[in-house]
RNA sequence: UGCCCGAUGGUGUAAUGGUAGCACAGCAGAUUCUGAAUCUGUUUGUCUAGGUUCGAUCCCUAGUCGGGCAGCCA
């Protein structure tokens, strides 16, 4: 495979799957001088974790074969697309592949268009890539745009007409549908199918010139109205849309359809392997028909299909995600509860974890439902290795250590990561007043409860064992504070340091703790397949976000956006990059720690 | 009732004519100043019926079940 070290994570060798097998065979045959893939999102929404699977596949294949993967905006429908999406896509892709496949990313000089390389009767166009890493950054570069090829695609359409393989059709949208027939019923030829080449040529030019209203005419391929594959029943190649385009402005009023534009865009860029999802499988004969009908001089790209990702407890279509945003179920496309790449990033999920996840789930043609536990495992595994441990108390209970003097400070060393000796340590101050988490004290605990109870003992981690002498309540019966005695001889190095107690809990000093907003996220839906009954909004988890003010150990005042933290016994947390302000930290819980305690119920 | 694609433990995936393996989840134990991590062990599987073959998860046929396809969306 590759001789380079995979920087995703040490254990991940290049995965193997049927697409990579095909590519490997082509490499062995030396079929192409270089393997070129592409990631071609339509800029009509934000990228989600399903796209991440595709990105990892396409860029993975490129990097494993010393190839290249072009980022291309598949923007042939001006009514649905927007530059906002172009920008988010660029950011998300570059974030996901950073440090892994940047050297394979294909961009192009800003404004650069394909060059006509054809001679004589053969029409040919080519547009090569520039790598941002090699070019010293993305300034002056941009991704590819299918809309940059409108001139060339138009020229190819004219060629098709001249070859008698396409014609201008005057059927209305409704009639076009009727004539198409049904999957089990053959279609009927359009009355305009026999139109002369000259007339189609003239009409097509007038369509381009804007002489006809939307929907008045289309350019259609002349294939076979009786084909069992409905996509071969004279598919529409061009439609009239008097709409400005986010990238080409007002230049065009006719726009190519996906099927026509995609294969040609692949060809123009010199793509060798055009990898897409299963629903395009029935389009493949059309993809091939168009390219083969043009008599193109360079090697043709080929399409390969794999199963899109379905993840438990979430929805994955852009339409549904858009709905969640528009109906304010979430706070935006990058809401940390969203399965979008931007949402996962904001939640604190590292790109390496997403890449490892993609490698773990594999690539097949079987439509499966992936257990969220697989994603969660990849995130925990990544975060466990890299996160410094910190103490944070989410729901504070005050504990007074009655045998410590006011102002007395007992310093304790706490390691930053028990699995990584190089991570160092920091000091924690034990004082007369500390906070512990409400979950770590129960007046009437269930069986096997290891934590603090009246008259019971527990260890304050990196501190000492304490004993609960008194539970103080107010007139209403609400807990005010716990009065405990600390046994300082049980500290590390003390005469009773190895004293065994059932529970060890985290804590913070009331004297030095800092306040911070902490956001606890839970899954957005409360059933594994929210859309199984077609009503995904009925299964929204009303408690997917809980916001609280927590007490944090003081070292967290210097937390950075880049670092990941494990709040011990609670989970992994990261600073929210959008809402954190100077002196006002906001932490997002990326994921809880795995919790095998049944809560005494078992 | 047309065409295309698929089917391996609970879930996801390997094995491409020769011992059904891995991961997640689960369970049990060890260990633990995180009920985490780590370590050890372990339950559970080739959709059905025929055929080819010394031998079939793999090749062939039929069936069953599942997914996709009838936008001037992608």
């Amino acid at each position: 495979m590759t001789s380079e070290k995979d920087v995703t994570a040490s254990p991940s060798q290049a995965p193997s799957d049927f697409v990579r097998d095909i590519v490997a065979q082509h490499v062995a045959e030396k079929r192409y001088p270089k393997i070129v893939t592409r990631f071609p999102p339509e800029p009509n929404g934000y990228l989600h974790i399903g796209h991440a699977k595709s990105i990892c596949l396409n860029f993975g294949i490129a990097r494993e074969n010393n190839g290249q993967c072009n980022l291309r905006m598949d923007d042939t429908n001006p009514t649905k697309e927007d530059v906002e999406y172009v920008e988010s896509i660029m950011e998300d892709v570059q974030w996901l592949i950073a440090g892994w496949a940047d050297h394979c990313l294909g961009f192009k000089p800003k404004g650069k268009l394909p060059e006509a390389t054809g001679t004589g009767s053969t029409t040919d166009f080519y547009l090569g890539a520039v790598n941002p890493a090699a070019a010293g950054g993305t300034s002056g570069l941009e991704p590819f745009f299918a809309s940059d090829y409108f001139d060339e695609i138009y020229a190819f359409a004219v060629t098709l007409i001249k070859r008698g393989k396409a014609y201008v059709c005057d059927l209305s949208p409704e009639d076009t549908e009727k004539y198409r027939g049904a999957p089990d019923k053959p279609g009927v030829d359009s009355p305009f199918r026999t139109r002369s080449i000259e007339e189609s040529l003239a009409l097509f030019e007038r369509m381009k010139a804007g002489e006809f209203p939307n929907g008045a005419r289309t350019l259609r391929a002349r294939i076979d109205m009786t084909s069992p594959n409905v996509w071969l029943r004279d598919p529409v190649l061009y439609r009239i849309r008097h709409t400005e385009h986010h990238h080409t402005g007002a230049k065009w009023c006719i726009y190519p359809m996906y099927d026509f534009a995609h294969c040609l865009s692949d060809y123009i860029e010199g793509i060798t392997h055009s990898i897409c999802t299963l629903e395009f499988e029935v389009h493949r004969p059309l993809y091939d028909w168009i390219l083969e009908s043009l008599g193109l001089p360079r090697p043709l790209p080929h399409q390969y299909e794999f199963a899109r990702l379905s993840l438990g407890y979430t929805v994955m279509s852009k339409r549904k995600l858009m709905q969640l945003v528009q109906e304010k179920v979430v706070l935006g496309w990058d809401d940390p509860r969203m399965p979008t790449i931007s949402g996962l990033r904001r939640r604190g999920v590292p790109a390496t974890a997403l890449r490892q996840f993609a490698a773990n789930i594999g690539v097949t043609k079987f439509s499966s439902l992936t257990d969220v536990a697989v994603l969660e495992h990849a995130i925990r595994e990544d975060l466990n290795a890299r996160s410094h441990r910190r103490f944070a108390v989410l729901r504070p209970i005050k504990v007074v250590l009655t045998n410590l003097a006011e102002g007395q400070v007992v310093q304790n060393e706490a390691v930053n990561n028990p699995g990584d000796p190089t991570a160092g340590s920091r000091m924690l101050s034990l004082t007369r007043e500390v906070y512990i988490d409400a979950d770590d004290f129960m007046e009437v605990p269930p069986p096997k409860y290891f934590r603090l109870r009246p008259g019971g003992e527990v260890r304050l981690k990196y501190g000492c064992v304490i004993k609960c002498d008194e539970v103080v309540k107010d007139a209403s019966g609400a807990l005010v504070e716990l009065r405990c005695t600390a046994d300082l001889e049980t500290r590390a190095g003390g005469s009773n340091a190895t004293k065994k107690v059932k529970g060890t809990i985290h804590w913070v000093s009331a004297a030095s703790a800092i306040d911070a907003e902490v956001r606890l996220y839970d899954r957005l839906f409360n059933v594994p397949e929210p859309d199984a009954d077609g009503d995904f909004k009925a299964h929204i988890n009303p408690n997917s976000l809980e916001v609280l003010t927590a007490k944090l150990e003081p070292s967290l005042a210097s937390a950075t956006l880049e670092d990941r933290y494990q709040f011990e016994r609670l989970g992994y947390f990261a600073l929210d990059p959008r809402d954190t302000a100077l002196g006002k930290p906001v932490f997002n819980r990326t994921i809880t720690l795995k919790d095998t305690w049944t809560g005494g119920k078992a």
Side-chain angles (χ1 to χ4, degrees), chain A residues 513-533:
Chain A
I514 59 170
D515 285 347
E517 179 176 330
V518 171
R519 299 173 181 172
L520 305 181
Y521 297 101
D522 198 356
R523 47 187 57 150
L524 235 195
F525 297 94
N526 44 35
V527 294
E529 296 183 81
D531 203 41
D533 58 3

Side-chain angles (χ1 to χ4, degrees), chain A residues 71 89-98 102 105 107 132 138:
Chain A
L71 174 60
I89 288 167
M90 285 174 63
E91 184 183 2
D92 290 348
V93 169
Q94 292 184 95
W95 174 78
L96 223 209
I97 68 169
D102 334 61
L105 173 60
F107 267 32
T138 52

Side-chain angles (χ1 to χ4, degrees), chain A residues 316-553:
Chain A
M316 205 68 91
S317 84
K318 278 197 252 185
R319 203 200 95 243
K320 293 183 194 110
L321 295 177
M322 172 93 73
Q323 210 176 327
L324 294 173
V325 172
Q326 288 178 340
E327 296 175 14
K328 309 250 192 284
V329 174
V330 295
L331 275 17
W333 283 101
D334 69 344
D335 186 299
R337 290 166 291 183
M338 291 282 272
T340 51
I341 293 179
S342 54
L344 291 162
R345 175 172 64 235
R346 185 172 170 193
R347 184 154 167 167
V349 176
T352 43
L354 252 22
R355 279 188 237 135
Q356 188 61 51
F357 169 69
N360 291 348
I361 58 176
V363 178
T364 66
K365 298 190 74 155
F366 178 63
S367 306
S368 58
L369 178 68
T370 297
D371 194 332
V372 263
V374 179
L375 206 215
E376 294 173 345
H377 175 261
I379 296 171
R380 290 195 180 103
E381 186 178 51
D382 188 301
L383 258 15
N384 177 50
R386 77 202 301 162
S387 300
H388 281 193
R389 313 289 112 135
R390 291 293 182 265
F391 282 175
V393 174
L394 265 24
R395 299 175 184 81
I397 298 179
K398 187 193 280 185
V399 172
V400 180
L401 302 176
T402 52
N403 59 328
L404 261 54
E406 301 268 359
Q408 182 179 353
V409 176
V410 182
Q411 293 284 345
N412 306 273
E413 185 179 19
V415 301
N416 287 329
N417 188 338
D420 177 10
T422 68
S425 63
R426 82 281 185 193
M427 298 307 284
L428 251 27
S429 307
L430 184 66
T431 55
R432 180 177 162 88
E433 289 192 354
V434 301
Y435 294 110
I436 67 169
D437 245 309
D439 282 352
D440 290 334
F441 171 78
M442 283 186 95
E443 240 186 313
V444 187
K448 300 245 182 84
Y449 186 79
F450 294 170
R451 287 106 98 153
L452 196 59
R453 68 180 77 195
E457 288 184 318
V458 78
R459 178 179 286 279
L460 298 182
K461 188 169 185 181
Y462 299 129
C464 64
V465 173
I466 63 169
K467 180 171 186 221
C468 180
D469 304 312
E470 190 184 353
V471 180
V472 181
K473 297 180 179 177
D474 64 16
S476 69
L479 186 62
V480 173
E481 65 181 33
L482 265 23
R483 299 182 74 79
C484 305
T485 46
D487 179 0
L488 293 178
E489 287 310 314
T490 59
R491 295 172 62 220
S495 63
N496 201 9
T498 56
K499 175 169 181 170
K500 296 280 184 228
V501 287
K502 271 290 184 54
T504 299
I505 64 174
H506 57 94
W507 54 279
V508 295
S509 161
S512 58
I514 59 170
D515 285 347
E517 179 176 330
V518 171
R519 299 173 181 172
L520 305 181
Y521 297 101
D522 198 356
R523 47 187 57 150
L524 235 195
F525 297 94
N526 44 35
V527 294
E529 296 183 81
D531 203 41
D533 58 3
D535 188 14
F536 71 100
K537 288 199 329 208
H539 306 294
I540 289 170
N541 173 9
N543 306 312
S544 59
L545 170 60
E546 184 180 0
V547 180
L548 15 90
T549 302
K551 299 284 186 186
L552 312 183
E553 68 164 84

Side-chain angles (χ1 to χ4, degrees), chain A residues 103-118:
Chain A
H103 59 292
C104 302
L105 173 60
F107 267 32
K108 66 164 177 91
K110 264 186 191 139
K112 176 141 191 195
L113 298 174
E115 283 164 17
T117 56

